[in-house]
Amino acid sequence: MTAVRTLRGPLLLTVTLLVAWQLLHQWAGDTALTAPLPTLGHLWEMIGQKRFVPHVTETGLAFLQALAISWIGGVGIGVLLGGHKLSGEVAEPILVGIYSLPKITLYPVILLLFGLGMSAKVAFGALHGIIPVALFTMNAVRNVNRTYPRAGRSMRLSPAQTAWHILIPATLPEVFTGLRIGFSLTLLGTMLGELFASQRGLGFLLMTAIDLNDVQTILAIAVLISLFAVAANSILLAIDKRLHRGAAA
Amino acid sequence: MTVVARLTDVSRIYPPRAGHAAVHALGPLSMELRAGEFFSVVGPSGCGKSTLLDVLSGLAPPSQGTVEFEGKPVAGVVPEGVGVVFQEDASFPWLPVEDNVAFGLRRQGMDAAEIKRRADFAIGFMGLNDFRRAYPSQLSGGMRQRVCIARTLVLQPRLILLDEPFGALDQQTRLLMGDELLRLWRETSATVMLITHALDEANLLSDRIGVMSARPGRFIDVVETGWPRDRDSRLAERPDFGAVTSKLWSLLRTESMRALGQGAVAAQ
């Protein structure tokens, strides 16, 4: 019963989306929006092709590197800024400012700095993801209930034990929320980076398909990326909820 | 009479910070806690009651003077045998009740069977058996404070320091928690020092009550209640109960007004 209940939501969502897609296709026609079933068939065919693999690998590698920089760098910056009051107060408005900036306007600069290819995509993805991770981590560190480390000291914990058994679990739920949002934004940044001046990757395939007006391929790639994003985000959201259960009132 | 803890000419002065002058929070004061007694500290708000607890427990070093626990100096580290319960909810929200209770013992690397035995006892003692797997967020404020007391109790402290532990609870829960605290005190034979701003509570629970002045806090007087060891909240029905509370208030009234004045100056 519980399996049915947990699956009911996503299943209903999928069916609704497919029906909406079909209806939209009927209204817009093949030139703008291909039908769901042929598109999914085309995606299946593409995945089976040997020349498709290097593009997926390229995008995957770019994303993983950008994600590693976003997560590790963001947490590092957040811990430093959260731990040092003055630095945090100075840096926060700057970070919020960069965060709200449409970063695509900086892409020419990124390209000039990093050149065409992998490193520019990685930098652009990381630029999107690192700031929310840093902001969430900074706030998590700042908002640690001061009574927790005091309680740790009253139980004679060493500073290392306090860090490992109190500070990390106390900050983890909020830091993880940052990691989840950082994940989505890093993916966005990496894909945006691939759309311009790249020679490989899913973004490059997408741009080529746009040039050729190959609607079926455009949609097939969009579906592939969406599937990945939704699946990954559901897993991260489930972990996030689990971590927050203690904090939920 | 054995002395468990002794403070000699202790002061605590917070150094000046940007925009703030140095604050002389406490002392100089001297006091002794006798083995097995229930000692309460009352005083006007901001008089340094919590600072006193910090210094006595070793959470904060004294600026001047010496602190001893069982004859050994205490300096900025909480000694083995001292347990602290805080005013704020200090239960860890990421751990279920039983892991919260066992937390301190696990960090000491104690043998698992012994941890379980002690945690089971403390959980049972504080009436938390039905909530072993519950998270603090699922419990009321009073139950969370029980978790914190149980977490201190498992360490088998010989001196238990409580900093207004029932301050956030409603009056009825406070009375019940006071009874539990008395039971804990009787059955463990620990020495207890309770910081409180509630005069009735101090009266009801204590053998002796230290009355503090406005900041910098010093003891104006120490009132002996003379209540029997076997007591509970029904003590308030005794005809001589009110006299002790009245005495505490007459000692505190002027100091509380001074403290109000300090607050008004500080707010300007």
Side-chain angles (χ1 to χ4, degrees), chain A residues 148 153 156 161 245-246 248, chain B residues 59 78 80 93 107 135 137:
Chain A
Y148 298 160
R153 283 183 60 209
R156 304 163 51 74
Q161 283 179 319
R245 78 188 151 185
Chain B
L59 283 168
V78 181
E80 188 276 322
R107 304 292 86 79
Y135 282 86
S137 58

Side-chain angles (χ1 to χ4, degrees), chain A residues 20-92:
Chain A
W21 182 356
Q22 181 68 44
L23 290 175
L24 206 61
H25 157 73
Q26 247 127 32
W27 175 71
D30 252 340
T31 46
L33 197 73
T34 50
L37 283 180
T39 309
L40 293 176
H42 181 61
L43 174 62
W44 185 249
E45 210 173 280
M46 275 166 63
I47 292 170
Q49 284 167 0
K50 244 191 178 148
R51 62 191 173 87
F52 187 64
V53 178
H55 292 293
V56 176
T57 317
E58 169 86 4
T59 304
L61 274 179
F63 174 63
L64 282 180
Q65 290 177 61
L67 188 66
I69 296 172
S70 292
W71 280 8
I72 297 168
V75 170
I77 293 169
V79 167
L80 289 177
L81 294 180
H84 192 258
K85 196 163 174 264
L86 181 65
S87 316
E89 278 170 7
V90 172
E92 190 175 13

Side-chain angles (χ1 to χ4, degrees), chain B residues 1-7 31-41 56 68-69 159-161 191-194 208 219:
Chain B
M1 184 74 61
T2 328
V3 171
V4 174
R6 177 180 280 127
L7 268 65
M31 68 176 283
E32 288 177 354
L33 290 177
R34 301 168 188 165
E37 77 171 330
F38 198 123
F39 188 91
S40 288
V41 178
L56 180 55
E68 280 173 43
F69 173 65
L159 172 60
I160 304 175
L161 305 172
T191 309
V192 171
M193 187 179 91
L194 170 77
R208 293 194 303 151
F219 283 114

Side-chain angles (χ1 to χ4, degrees), chain B residues 75 101 162 170 211 264:
Chain B
V101 173
L162 304 107
D170 64 76
V211 181

